[in-house]
């Protein structure tokens, strides 16, 4: 995957957004990071609707980092819709959440997430997790071309 | 001289002629004298001649000699002629004599013939007759008269002769006689006549008309009594017919018949024989029966049989085989007779041959069938027998020895009564006699016998009468079944029945008690019971029911179902009907108002029961008003509990999400501050930030552990076999990876499988291992041991706590603890060490105790400061 591939971060907590961006920077991941604040915005971006209507719908991000606890449409629903749609069904989606609930894990995998990562409280660990995610999903992983 | 010589020669010739006549004619003497006379004359001439020669020739008288010569010539000629005459005469005389002789002879013959004829007539009953057709007068020989039964002297006529015939014979003879007279036609008839003495006879009469100038002047004939002849003829005819029939029968018979000669030739054979052997008549003629028809292995046997036959002359019967033309073997039975010549030598054999292929098959089948029946009879465990009319055994087989103790050969000859004791014999003798008299079969007749060893044997007899060809009873044939055991059982049963009757009495008394008891129970039971007849009439009601309804028992007994329990709601009626119809008990909880005006909730059960074939209905009622009320309250609180549980879940969820996010921010930005603005902070400032970070991280851990603890109560439990040793090893491996520098001796014992929830048990073992790992960290050689034990291998007080259950223990050689604080050990956030000594939230053991208790188990600890800690747990209840 090219270095200019877009990574979509779906996160409502501005602290977490900032920390995530910091973790990306610290790990020299130079891909463009698009941040959306809730589930509805995430879907609008992906399907080029509403405020993102002038966006090229086929120009999909290389990776979606999805929080579960989101305003308007929660992360489970967003994931379900991504997998339902022909255009986005192969899109790599990594659940990045604070939740350690078993039910969230089971539901996320049921809906077809590619990975489930719990955000550690320790920033150092969080930063390591981000680095590994970037390395794996942006550099190593291959997916079918749409 | 010459004349003398000629004369002498002539006289000699005459003498020779006469001599010839002597030989040929009968008058020998006469001719002999003539012959001598001539010889003498010739002699005289010779003397004269000699004289002449001696003296001279002058002495001869020539003329006299000439005359002498002439006389000699005449004599010779006369002699010859006379000889001829005499000869002819002699022949005539001979012929005459011969004719005379013939005549005499013929007469004698005639006489003899006449005698013979008469004799023959008498013997052959034959005679002659004649009659004159003009006058009708006739005559017959004595024999003919005799045949007619008349006196030979009696006169006869044609009419008279015909009068002895009647019917068809009369017509035949009259016609024949008429034709003989008219046309001179001879006849030859065999006729039946009746003699003057009234005897029927067969006669043959042959008539020959004598013609003179085309006219019949006489009819002559013979008459013969052929009655005997006829009879003989009839006999011969019958014999012949019989022979022909016999021959025909033999020829057409299906029974092969053949004649064989000792030299191997075959004589007469019939068609069946050809069919049997497969050869045609022609082929059989050229066949040696011994060489071709008889298979080699039969030859000796056959020859032996035939030798026996030849010696005795009596027909022999034997079996052998024939080689059929097509090569197969035909089993046959031979019945061979012998035919001998007068000298006693065998002329031929004749045999009746039977193809016994089917018979052999049938015999085999019969044998098989007999064997089968025998097997069945003998394997039935019964005794099979046959006896005569007097009950004397003539056959015994099967289990006779087992049943009676006697061998079959011992039994045979014994009378059935001999096998019985006197009493039984007395009883059975007339019974047997009656059966034999009426010739009826014996069906399931019980008898009692005494075995050889003296044991009493009871038998069940089934038998059928056996008859001879005339229908006379010969005896019986039957089967005896040993029913001794059954008898004993019956006896036991009888005793048992008697005992049972006693028991019944006792039982009745017991029942009476029970009844009283039941009544008491019924009366005192805290449940309303009422019974109704099928017409709805109340039959009985107990105290509790009266109390429940709020009416007296008498009031209730007067009620019917439809006005029972406040009129009987539609629900109750429906249940009652359904119970009566289906027989299945019905139950329902109903709210109703009693006749006494009470609002009650009752649990009712309907049951159908039958008394004297009448269906009854039983209604059992429990007043559940109070219970329903408390159940309602319980349900309400349970709902509340569920609601709070849901709230708790939501709370945990938000804790897991929302409480940790700020912590991450605190930690993250503290780190950012340290990294980005480290140079503007002094050492103390950096320390503060580090402390902020540590506190945030510690709170993250606390939140995690608390969430874990709260989850233990919410998880759905499963029950499986779980190997705690394996879980312990997994946890320890993880810890070893985290702390590779640690040297820990690990001992995992046996029999560590328990039944429980795998997730909870994993938590339990992880926490226990964490604890042991953590508190043994200061030991030079740390030791962690996981094992199992039962109370017999445990010290008090653990043995008491364990009871009978399997105990899993985890021991370490770490810092241990003071038992004085043992009660604090399992409380949440309870710690016995400072954080600087050992890290931890104080939630681990709380998690352990909650996880174990959730599964109904028990956990406790034992320890001493500096001497390690032991944790014991059991999941068995």
């Amino acid at each position: 995957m090219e270095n200019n591939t877009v990574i979509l971060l779906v996160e409502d907590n501005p602290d977490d957004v900032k920390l995530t961006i910091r973790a990306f920077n610290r790990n020299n991941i130079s891909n463009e990071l698009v941040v959306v604040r809730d589930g509805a915005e995430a879907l609008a971006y992906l399907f080029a609707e509403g405020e993102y209507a002038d966006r090229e719908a086929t120009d999909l991000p290389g990776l979606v980092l999805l929080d579960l606890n989101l305003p308007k449409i929660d992360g489970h629903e967003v994931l379900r819709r991504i997998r339902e749609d022909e255009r986005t069904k192969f899109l790599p989606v990594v659940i990045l959440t604070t939740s350690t609930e078993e039910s969230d894990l089971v539901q996320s995998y049921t809906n077809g997430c590619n990975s489930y990562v719990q955000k550690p409280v320790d920033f150092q660990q969080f930063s390591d997790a981000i680095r590994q995610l970037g390395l794996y999903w942006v550099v190593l992983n291959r997916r079918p071309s749409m | 001289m010459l004349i003398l010589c000629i004369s002498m020669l002539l006289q000699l010739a005459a003498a020779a002629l006469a001599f010839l006549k002597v030989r040929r004619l009968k008058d020998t003497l006469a001719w002999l004298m003539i012959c001598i006379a001539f010889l003498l004359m010739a002699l005289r001439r010779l003397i004269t001649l000699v004289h002449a020669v001696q003296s001279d020739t002058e002495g001869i008288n020539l003329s006299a000699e000439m005359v002498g010569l002439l006389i000699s010539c005449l004599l010779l000629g006369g002699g010859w002629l006379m000889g001829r005459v005499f000869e002819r005469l002699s022949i005539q005389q001979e012929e005459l004599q011969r004719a005379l002789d013939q005549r005499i002879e013929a007469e004698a013959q005639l006489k003899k013939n006449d005698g013979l004829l008469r004799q023959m007539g008498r013997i052959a009953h034959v005679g002659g007759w004649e009659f004159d057709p003009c006058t009708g007068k006739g005559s017959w020989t004595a024999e003919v008269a005799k045949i007619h039964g008349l006196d030979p002297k009696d006169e006869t006529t044609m009419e008279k002769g015909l009068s002895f015939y009647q019917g068809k014979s009369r017509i035949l003879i009259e016609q024949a006689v008429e034709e003989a007279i008219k046309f001179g036609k001879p006849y030859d008839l065999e006729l039946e006549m009746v003699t003057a003495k009234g005897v029927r006879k067969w006669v043959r009469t042959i008539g020959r008309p004598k013609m003179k100038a085309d006219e019949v002047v006489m009819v002559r004939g013979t008459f013969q009594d052929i009655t005997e002849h006829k009879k003989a003829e009839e006999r011969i005819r019958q014999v012949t017919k019989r022979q022909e029939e016999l021959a025909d029968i033999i020829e057409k018979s299906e029974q092969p018949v053949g004649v064989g000669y000792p030299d191997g030739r075959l004589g007469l054979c019939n068609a069946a024989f050809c069919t049997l052997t497969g050869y045609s008549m022609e082929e059989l003629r050229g066949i040696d029966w011994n060489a071709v028809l008889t298979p080699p292995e039969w030859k000796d046997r056959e020859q032996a049989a035939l030798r026996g036959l030849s010696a005795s002359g009596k027909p022999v019967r034997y079996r052998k085989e024939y080689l059929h033309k097509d090569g197969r073997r035909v089993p046959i039975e031979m019945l061979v007779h012998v035919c001998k010549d007068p000298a006693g030598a065998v002329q031929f054999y004749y045999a009746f041959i039977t193809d016994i292929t089917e018979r052999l098959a049938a015999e085999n089948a019969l044998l098989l069938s007999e064997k089968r029946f025998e097997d069945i009879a003998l394997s039935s465990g019964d005794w099979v027998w046959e006896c005569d009319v007097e009950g004397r055994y003539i056959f015994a087989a099967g289990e006779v020895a087992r049943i009676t103790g006697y061998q079959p050969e011992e039994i045979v000859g014994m009378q059935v009564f001999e096998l019985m004791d006197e009493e039984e014999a007395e009883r059975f003798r007339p019974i047997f006699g009656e059966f034999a008299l009426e010739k009826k079969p014996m069906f399931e007749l019980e008898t009692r016998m005494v075995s050889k060893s003296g044991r009493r044997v009871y038998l069940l007899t089934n038998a059928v009468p056996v008859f001879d060809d005339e229908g006379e009873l010969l005896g019986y044939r039957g089967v005896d079944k040993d029913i001794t055991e059954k008898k004993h059982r019956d006896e036991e049963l009888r005793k048992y029945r008697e005992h049972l009757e006693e028991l019944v009495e006792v039982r009745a008394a017991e029942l009476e008690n029970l009844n009283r008891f039941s009544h008491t129970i019924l009366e005192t039971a805290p449940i309303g019971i009422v019974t109704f007849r099928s017409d709805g009439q109340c039959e009985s009601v107990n105290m509790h029911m009266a109390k429940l309804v709020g009416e007296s028992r008498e009031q209730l007994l007067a009620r019917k179902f439809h006005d029972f329990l406040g009129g009987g709601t539609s629900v109750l009626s429906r249940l009652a009907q359904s119970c009566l119809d289906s027989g299945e008990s019905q139950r329902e909880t109903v709210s109703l108002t009693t006749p006494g005006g009470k609002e009650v909730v009752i649990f009712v059960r309907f049951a159908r029961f039958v008394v004297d074939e009448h269906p009854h209905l039983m209604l059992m009622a429990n007043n559940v008003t109070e219970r329903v009320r408390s159940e309602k309250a319980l349900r309400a609180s349970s709902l509340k509990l569920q609601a709070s549980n849901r709230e708790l879940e939501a709370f945990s969820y938000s804790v897991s999400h929302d409480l940790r996010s700020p912590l991450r921010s605190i930690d993250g930005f503290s780190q950012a501050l340290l990294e980005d603005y480290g140079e503007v902070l002094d050492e103390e400032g950096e320390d503060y930030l580090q402390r902020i970070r540590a506190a945030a991280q510690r709170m993250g851990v606390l939140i995690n552990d608390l969430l874990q603890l709260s989850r233990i109560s919410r998880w759905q439990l499963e029950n499986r076999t779980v190997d705690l040793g394996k879980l312990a090893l997994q946890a320890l491996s993880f810890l070893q990876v985290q702390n590779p520098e640690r040297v820990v001796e690990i001992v995992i014992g046996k029999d560590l499988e328990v039944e429980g929830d795998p997730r909870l048990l994993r938590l339990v073992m992880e926490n226990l291992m964490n604890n042991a790992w953590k508190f043994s960290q200061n030991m030079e050689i740390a030791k962690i041991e996981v094992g199992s034990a039962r109370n017999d291998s445990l010290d008090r007080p653990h043995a008491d706590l364990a009871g009978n259950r399997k105990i899993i223990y985890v021991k370490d050689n770490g810092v241990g603890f003071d038992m004085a604080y043992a009660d604090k050990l399992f409380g949440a956030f309870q710690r016995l060490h400072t954080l600087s000594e050992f890290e931890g939230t104080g939630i681990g053991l709380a998690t352990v105790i909650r996880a174990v208790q959730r599964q109904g188990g028990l956990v406790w600890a034992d320890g001493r400061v500096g001497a390690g800690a032991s944790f014991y747990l059991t999941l068995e209840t």
Side-chain angles (χ1 to χ4, degrees), chain A:
Chain A
M1 188 178 282
E2 303 84 38
N3 283 349
N4 54 6
T5 306
V6 170
I7 295 170
L8 178 65
L9 176 65
V10 188
E11 176 62 71
D12 64 321
N13 186 338
D15 279 3
D16 278 355
V17 171
K18 199 149 191 183
L19 287 171
T20 307
I21 292 169
R22 187 178 167 81
F24 268 79
N25 290 338
R26 248 167 67 114
N27 292 302
N28 301 317
I29 298 166
S30 57
N31 298 64
E32 183 190 348
L33 191 71
V34 175
V35 180
V36 290
R37 305 289 169 166
D38 59 54
E41 199 185 344
L43 290 171
Y45 177 85
L46 287 171
F47 300 127
E49 291 160 351
E51 55 184 302
Y52 295 100
D54 50 355
R55 212 181 68 79
E56 185 54 58
T58 54
D59 189 11
L60 288 172
L63 176 68
V64 177
L65 298 172
L66 179 62
D67 193 7
L68 286 177
N69 201 8
L70 291 170
K72 294 181 188 171
I73 298 173
D74 74 5
H76 293 304
E77 180 64 17
V78 172
L79 176 58
R80 203 177 55 76
R81 293 208 198 162
I82 288 172
R83 289 292 175 249
E84 259 177 16
D85 198 292
E86 274 299 312
R87 293 167 292 177
T88 54
K89 65 177 180 184
F90 293 138
L91 190 62
V93 176
V94 172
I95 303 295
L96 194 62
T97 178
T98 319
S99 171
T100 53
E101 284 297 307
E102 186 83 7
S103 58
D104 280 336
L105 257 167
V106 170
Q107 202 183 344
S108 298
Y109 273 98
T110 307
N111 287 337
C113 72
N114 294 78
S115 195
Y116 188 104
V117 176
Q118 199 210 329
K119 287 188 260 187
V121 169
D122 187 333
F123 178 73
Q124 193 58 51
Q125 289 175 21
F126 179 68
S127 175
D128 281 350
I130 291 294
R131 183 176 58 80
Q132 285 177 33
L133 275 177
L135 185 69
Y136 180 77
W137 288 106
V138 180
V139 181
L140 284 176
N141 189 51
R142 292 194 54 77
R143 62 181 171 117
S145 50
M146 307 301 280

Side-chain angles (χ1 to χ4, degrees), chain B residues 18 132 282 457 480 564 580 601 616 678 690 834:
Chain B
D132 186 338
E282 287 70 35
V457 182
D480 276 8
F564 201 84
L580 277 174
V601 181
H616 284 61
Q690 288 293 5
T834 61

Side-chain angles (χ1 to χ4, degrees), chain B residues 581-776:
Chain B
D581 291 347
S582 69
E584 283 168 21
S585 68
Q586 305 288 331
R587 55 188 64 197
E588 190 67 75
T589 305
V590 290
S591 304
L592 44 82
T593 313
T594 63
K598 276 202 282 177
E599 290 282 336
V600 289
V601 181
I602 56 172
F603 174 65
V604 290
R605 267 167 296 173
F606 286 97
R608 193 180 71 169
F609 64 102
V610 177
V611 175
D612 297 336
E613 296 181 6
H614 294 294
H616 284 61
L617 190 66
M618 181 193 279
L619 166 61
M620 286 157 280
N622 272 19
N623 190 342
V624 292
T625 316
E626 276 308 308
R627 203 172 82 196
V628 166
R629 200 172 293 152
S630 59
E631 272 174 8
K632 255 184 203 158
L634 198 67
R635 212 173 300 136
S637 65
S638 160
L639 281 174
K640 253 185 240 168
L641 196 69
Q642 279 176 19
S644 69
N645 259 348
R646 271 197 299 278
E647 276 168 35
L648 189 67
E649 260 176 61
F651 171 72
S652 321
Y653 194 80
S654 58
V655 165
S656 108
H657 270 90
D658 302 338
L659 277 184
R660 273 187 298 187
S661 291
L663 290 174
R664 196 162 48 254
S665 295
I666 292 167
D667 184 72
F669 291 116
S670 301
Q671 171 93 22
L673 211 54
L674 279 169
E675 283 173 12
D676 296 356
Y677 301 96
E679 60 268 30
V680 295
L681 287 172
D682 60 6
E683 207 166 287
E684 203 165 358
E686 273 187 29
D687 180 50
Y688 294 159
L689 276 175
Q690 288 293 5
R691 281 176 189 276
I692 290 170
R693 280 196 68 204
Q697 284 171 17
R698 198 170 134 69
M699 186 152 176
V701 175
L702 267 171
I703 290 169
N704 267 347
D705 286 359
L706 270 176
L707 278 174
Q708 189 79 274
L709 189 64
S710 77
R711 267 188 217 118
I712 291 169
S713 320
R714 291 184 285 138
W715 271 344
Q716 284 283 324
L717 294 190
E718 286 177 63
N719 200 39
R720 283 200 216 144
T721 302
V722 181
D723 184 353
L724 295 184
K726 205 183 262 180
L727 290 179
L729 260 181
Q730 282 171 3
L732 289 169
S733 308
F734 179 75
L735 291 166
Q736 185 71 74
V737 172
Q738 301 285 75
N739 311 93
E741 75 288 353
R742 288 281 307 271
V743 178
V744 181
E745 187 189 335
I746 294 166
V747 180
I748 305 288
K750 282 181 183 164
D751 193 20
L752 294 170
E753 281 95 7
V754 295
E755 298 290 318
D757 181 78
R759 282 199 300 185
L760 287 184
L761 290 171
R762 179 177 290 279
L763 266 182
V764 167
M765 292 317 281
E766 276 174 4
N767 278 299
L768 287 176
M769 290 308 118
N770 269 341
N771 247 26
W773 189 268
K774 189 164 66 186
F775 292 110
S776 62

